[in-house]
């Protein structure tokens, strides 16, 4: 029995036929898996190896090399906040502290089931919108400290 849905299997097969080598398809395949499941499990890596002929070592190398891929369960909303020089000069550190406070308040109410995880990222490549953050794949520009509660409340409001 497959650990992948029918639509995910179709995407994987599409990627494998689109690229000249199977190894070239690893990045888009992992993106598709993570889009559906939130992370890439060892069971999924094994299925990629056995059913689709992808080398398990190469797949694991990609997962561990790129920060965007996760090999462990993640919370519903992954926040990546840029901490490069431009964002730092525009208040990134204060905004990061505010995000941590917001997460702590939610976690106090919800425990380990809180919706947010935070990753301070070296650069998100959008300096003209600094400070910038990603919530999953949604880019939010000018994410200053005074806007953090409002931004995060769109995804999961603070309990009253």
């Amino acid at each position: 029995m497959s650990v992948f849905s029918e639509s995910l299997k179709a995407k994987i097969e599409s990627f494998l036929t689109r690229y000249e080598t199977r190894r070239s398809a690893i990045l888009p395949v992992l993106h598709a898996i993570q889009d559906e499941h939130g992370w890439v499990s060892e069971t999924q890596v094994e299925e990629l190896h056995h059913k689709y002929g992808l080398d398990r070592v190469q797949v694991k190398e990609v997962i561990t090399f790129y920060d965007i891929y996760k090999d462990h369960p993640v919370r519903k909303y992954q926040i990546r906040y840029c901490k490069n020089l431009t964002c730092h000069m525009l208040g990134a550190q204060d905004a990061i502290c505010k995000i941590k406070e917001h997460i702590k308040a939610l976690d106090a109410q919800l425990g380990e089931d809180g919706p947010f995880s935070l990753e301070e990222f070296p650069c998100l490549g959008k300096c003209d919108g600094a400070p910038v953050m990603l919530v999953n794949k949604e880019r939010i520009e000018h994410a200053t400290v005074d806007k953090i509660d409002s931004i995060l409340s769109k995804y999961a409001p603070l309990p009253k």
Side-chain angles (χ1 to χ4, degrees):
M1 177 167 203
S2 178
V3 296
F4 300 131
S5 68
E6 292 303 317
S7 66
L8 184 53
K9 284 190 230 178
K11 286 180 187 175
I12 291 170
E13 290 169 13
S14 167
F15 292 132
L16 292 173
T17 59
R18 187 179 311 164
Y19 293 93
E20 190 172 314
T21 65
R22 291 194 174 280
R23 182 179 186 173
S24 299
I26 292 174
L27 292 173
V29 164
L30 292 177
H31 273 296
I33 293 169
Q34 197 158 279
D35 283 347
E36 186 168 296
H37 296 277
W39 63 294
V40 182
S41 71
E42 191 62 39
T43 305
Q44 293 163 334
V45 171
E46 286 302 312
E47 184 159 337
L48 289 174
H49 173 68
H50 292 293
K51 184 170 182 178
Y52 299 102
L54 293 172
D55 183 276
R56 75 171 58 89
V57 172
Q58 290 174 347
V59 172
K60 293 293 279 183
E61 285 174 342
V62 170
I63 293 169
T64 57
F65 181 79
Y66 291 105
D67 288 339
I68 197 156
Y69 299 115
K70 303 299 178 200
D71 61 357
H72 56 278
V74 293
R75 292 181 172 194
K76 183 175 182 179
Y77 300 109
Q78 296 177 62
I79 301 167
R80 291 185 177 96
Y81 200 99
C82 185
K83 62 177 191 169
N84 75 2
L85 182 60
T86 305
C87 290
H88 180 75
M89 290 175 62
L90 294 170
Q93 198 55 48
D94 290 337
I96 289 168
C97 288
K98 186 69 170 178
I99 293 168
K100 288 178 181 177
E101 288 173 16
H102 194 99
I103 291 172
K104 188 175 179 180
L106 281 170
D107 287 353
Q109 295 278 325
L110 305 171
E112 294 295 317
D113 295 330
F116 295 112
S117 60
L118 172 64
E119 185 177 355
E120 297 177 37
F121 222 68
C123 183
L124 292 173
K126 189 67 174 139
C127 295
D128 63 329
V132 66
M133 65 190 270
L134 291 176
V135 179
N136 293 346
K137 290 186 177 185
E138 182 181 354
R139 183 180 63 225
I140 301 163
E141 298 178 10
H142 310 291
T144 55
V145 67
D146 56 317
K147 297 177 184 174
I148 293 301
D149 283 334
S150 171
I151 291 167
L152 297 182
S153 291
K154 291 189 317 189
Y155 300 95
L158 282 170
K160 297 191 184 219

